[in-house]
Amino acid sequence: MRTVVQWMGLLATAVSVAAAAGKPTTPAEFDTTFAAIESSRGSTNDPARLRELFDLTWRYQMVESPENATGVGYPGLNDRWSDLSPEAIARRRRESGRPLKVLASIPRESLQGDDVLYRDLFERQVREQIEGDRFPEELLAINQMGGPQQEIAQVLGLMPVQTRADVDALLARLRGAGARVAATQSLLETGLSRGITPPQITLRDVPQQVLNNIPEDPEKSPLFRPFQSLPSTLSEAEKEQIRAEARTLLLQSVYPKFRNLHQFLVERYLPGARTNLAATSLPDGPAWYAFRVRQSTTTPLSPAQIHEIGLAEVKRIRARMEEVKAATGFQGTFAEFLEFLRRDPRFYYDRGTELLAGYRDISKRVDLELPKVFGRLPRLPYGVMPIPSYAEQSQTTAYYQPGAASFGRPGVFYANTYALNMRPKWEMEALTLHEAVPGHHLQIALAQELDGVPDFQKHAGVTAFVEGWALYSESLGPAMGFYTDPYSKFGQLTYEMWRAIRLVVDTGIHSMGWTREQAIDFFRANSGKTEHDITVEVDRYIVWPGQALAYKMGELKIKELRASAEKELGLRFDLRAFHDELLGKGALPLEVLEPRMRQWIASQKVRTE
């Protein structure tokens, strides 16, 4: 989530590499450069100094997290991994406040227009990082949703493989993969000694996930996959030499570290992992969960308030589901209707290729309708691919992987083809609108392509906005000719209900003492999701406290703002203009988005009067 116009990617890469030449790469060099910007007050205008600060901080973040650099298409760092040593982690925590010292030398009143917005967003981001440094997230370095058993293959798969230099970087990163696994294991050992682990029940599939990386034949390892499509400019002899080196690295360097990790997980980590579920049971847990809730929702609402919002939304959506159920002519109870949707073979494909073809067909039909509801559309293409087999059993129904034009990489909507009897057709339209267009791909690709917006904001991962937009996008189906079948409409409501349930279940587990069985039962009673999906979802909420709250909270705010615009502007309301304005500055915290959109509504009202 791999076809983009190649010359565009190569040109962008060449420009970025040239721009990065001579820039700092070590902590000492970064500190010197931060100090130089700070001391240039009076000799350089403040807007220019602000942009220098943005660029320097972005480069610092890329150097410190080369995996993220690969993800966003930042060049020159594909041959390395993040330093996960305790010393490096402590150093990064000491350095996290450094940009604020420079920012203090740039008076807010010296800025105008969008620079004021970007300054405020930048300060908010840095202060949130400093607040989060209190909590040792790095000790929770593995769970069923992520960790080296998935991330190493994912990062290798995101790397460009177009030139010999790209291949050399790929080999270098593979050479360091064993050390990356060992460093993660060291963090897990520290977490185990301090009682900071995921709940034991959620780790049941992780040992097998580790083994999936190290089959007897190294060419069948997901870590070897990038070496199967080497550049055509290389001779066959060169390709075989490269593949031979990759096989040797896997067998001699990477496999032993994964075997050590597997043994550690089975013999020590899983038996010693905590048995309680709530994030509040961790050391400093109540403050940790409260921080995650604020970070995820970008609101000051408490878990109790969010829980009540969730219950109200479940009740509202349930009433709509009853109406749609009646429209299908089904005569049984709501519970019987849900069981019918889960069991009837008419709602399921027999082969994974058919499921993927179905998603691709929906995607192309959506593409044709987008100009009806958007004035601006992204240039970057996207595709539909199956979730890799080594991770599919514990992954959710689907996810989106952003593209990077500079690497010649499109966005990808990954769909789960595991257990097809749990992938109903009636959910496919809503899921496509969420993960591809007009959901994640449209919003994220548009943000990446914004002119004049600093990189940190182009790639802002404000979950309440990003996921709130994707959930809101599901509701745009009728405007584009979708959900004409009552079962697909029920599927859309099921997906909206799914996100409302998250508000109840996440807060229930982490702040109200809910059991895993209680959460599963609540989910089952109110949603048409299949049993496997429900279990995977609940386990996801357990290991990602607070993250699941972002979807519904963001969607509710966007719908509230749209309703206000429609009421204030009446017949003058333009849905395309509303969407373009909403997406025009990248992902924004809800507390920033609301006043900005209300100001836009007021300006549109004045302009059209």
Side-chain angles (χ1 to χ4, degrees), residues 2 159-163 166-167 170 224-234 239 242-243:
R2 250 166 253 243
M159 292 174 62
V161 190
Q162 300 168 357
T163 67
D166 291 339
V167 175
L170 186 64
F224 187 83
R225 196 167 297 153
F227 295 94
Q228 294 172 342
S229 300
L230 295 174
S232 59
T233 54
L234 299 177
K239 290 179 182 178
I242 290 164
R243 290 176 180 134

Side-chain angles (χ1 to χ4, degrees), residues 551-570:
Y551 299 67
K552 196 63 173 150
M553 299 306 296
E555 179 231 19
L556 288 173
K557 181 56 65 179
I558 292 171
K559 284 187 171 179
E560 175 191 325
L561 292 169
R562 175 174 165 177
S564 294
E566 289 174 335
K567 180 180 179 181
E568 291 292 321
L569 300 177

Side-chain angles (χ1 to χ4, degrees), residues 27-217:
E29 290 171 341
F30 275 110
D31 191 63
T32 298
T33 313
F34 276 120
I37 300 174
E38 186 179 0
S39 63
S40 67
R41 182 175 185 178
S43 61
T44 306
N45 72 72
D46 287 338
R49 295 172 63 234
L50 183 71
R51 292 298 176 136
E52 289 178 16
L53 174 61
F54 292 162
D55 291 343
L56 179 63
T57 305
W58 180 249
R59 176 163 180 78
Y60 172 88
Q61 292 170 348
M62 297 298 97
V63 169
E64 292 295 334
S65 180
E67 302 87 352
N68 191 36
T70 298
V72 302
Y74 191 96
L77 301 170
N78 288 329
D79 59 347
R80 66 198 72 182
W81 299 96
S82 299
D83 187 345
L84 298 184
S85 67
E87 296 77 15
I89 293 169
R91 172 183 58 77
R92 287 194 287 269
R93 284 196 166 98
R94 292 194 302 270
E95 294 168 352
S96 61
R98 186 67 178 88
L100 290 183
K101 293 181 62 179
V102 185
L103 195 64
S105 73
I106 305 175
R108 194 171 185 272
E109 57 271 19
S110 69
L111 306 172
Q112 295 180 345
D114 288 338
D115 279 345
V116 178
L117 170 67
Y118 301 140
R119 182 198 186 281
D120 291 347
L121 291 171
F122 180 80
E123 181 175 8
R124 180 188 180 109
Q125 184 184 97
V126 175
R127 291 194 182 281
E128 185 177 271
Q129 175 63 49
I130 294 169
E131 182 182 4
D133 284 345
R134 167 180 171 181
F135 309 109
E137 289 281 354
E138 71 277 2
L139 301 184
L140 295 169
I142 202 167
N143 56 52
Q144 80 280 13
M145 304 296 296
Q149 80 282 10
Q150 297 183 30
E151 291 161 2
I152 291 177
Q154 289 169 353
V155 171
L156 295 179
L158 292 177
M159 292 174 62
V161 190
Q162 300 168 357
T163 67
R164 180 59 203 240
D166 291 339
V167 175
D168 289 341
L170 186 64
L171 284 169
R173 204 166 233 169
L174 184 62
R175 195 172 294 115
R180 171 63 177 239
V181 175
T184 302
Q185 182 174 329
S186 180
L187 290 173
L188 296 177
E189 290 171 346
T190 300
L192 186 62
S193 69
R194 294 173 54 181
I196 301 175
T197 74
Q200 187 181 78
I201 184 64
T202 64
L203 295 168
R204 61 192 180 278
D205 294 332
V206 174
Q208 183 58 50
Q209 290 176 349
V210 171
L211 293 179
N212 291 343
N213 285 273
I214 53 174
E216 183 176 353
D217 181 356

